[in-house]
Amino acid sequence: IALSMSETRGVLEGAKVLDIGMGCGTLTEYIKQHVDIDMYGIDYSKAAVAYVRERNKKGTFCVADVRDLSFIPSASMDYAFENGVFSVTRDGHCETYKNVMRILKPGGTLLIMQTYTDWHPVKCWQNIRMLSVEGCLKDLGYRFEYILTRDATDGKYDSYCAGETYTALIRKPK
């Protein structure tokens, strides 16, 4: 995700970037090492947010549920990204994505990455959910510039990490 945003798609210096479900902040830290941006992050875990705040004195990090981003002003972020968050939320996926798109500026970008493992009992359910979200956002006029599903292990299957990585880059119309 970080490479896609900072190198492939050229995150601009000073851009406002939201890390949705930041966990321990690994991607946040990586991006900040490569590009001077205004970093924002949300996570459902109070402990994760405290950890990220301690390690990152610059940035705004708060406890929040991705399904309610009403505290973030409309059209205020240049980029948002998530890694595995939407596959574990229980309900309101289309509404959640619409809310994320609401906070993006015109021309803003949402980068989604999900990894589905063969051993995971809900792999099929996750894939169906992502297809429904794609349909929802396409129906609303959002442009998918990049969609990739690939073997996350590059053919080196083992009992732990065999699966697919789904990546989508979605641009909000200007």
Side-chain angles (χ1 to χ4, degrees), residues 2 85 89 99 102 126 164:
V85 174
T89 56
N99 200 21
R102 176 193 62 78
Q126 290 172 328
E164 297 174 335

Side-chain angles (χ1 to χ4, degrees), residues 34-49:
H34 291 84
V35 184
D36 183 21
I37 56 172
D38 290 335
M39 195 72 213
Y40 298 83
I42 62 168
D43 200 280
Y44 197 69
S45 165
K46 291 178 185 177
V49 172

Side-chain angles (χ1 to χ4, degrees), residues 27 42 56 68 70 73 81 85 92 98-99 102 108 111 118 128 132 143 150 162 167:
L27 293 173
I42 62 168
N56 296 278
D68 180 13
S70 59
F81 66 90
V85 174
K98 282 195 243 180
N99 200 21
R102 176 193 62 78
L111 186 64
D118 289 337
I128 290 168
S132 70
R143 218 172 65 229
R150 71 171 186 86
T167 306

Side-chain angles (χ1 to χ4, degrees), residues 46-90:
K46 291 178 185 177
V49 172
Y51 178 80
V52 172
R53 283 180 179 158
E54 182 63 32
R55 293 175 50 109
N56 296 278
K57 299 304 180 192
K58 286 186 172 183
T60 303
F61 309 103
C62 63
V63 176
D65 187 327
V66 68
R67 295 170 294 180
D68 180 13
L69 300 178
S70 59
F71 63 95
I72 301 176
S74 296
S76 61
M77 298 287 161
D78 297 294
Y79 296 89
F81 66 90
E82 66 90 9
N83 183 11
V85 174
F86 293 120
S87 67
V88 295
T89 56
R90 292 183 180 209

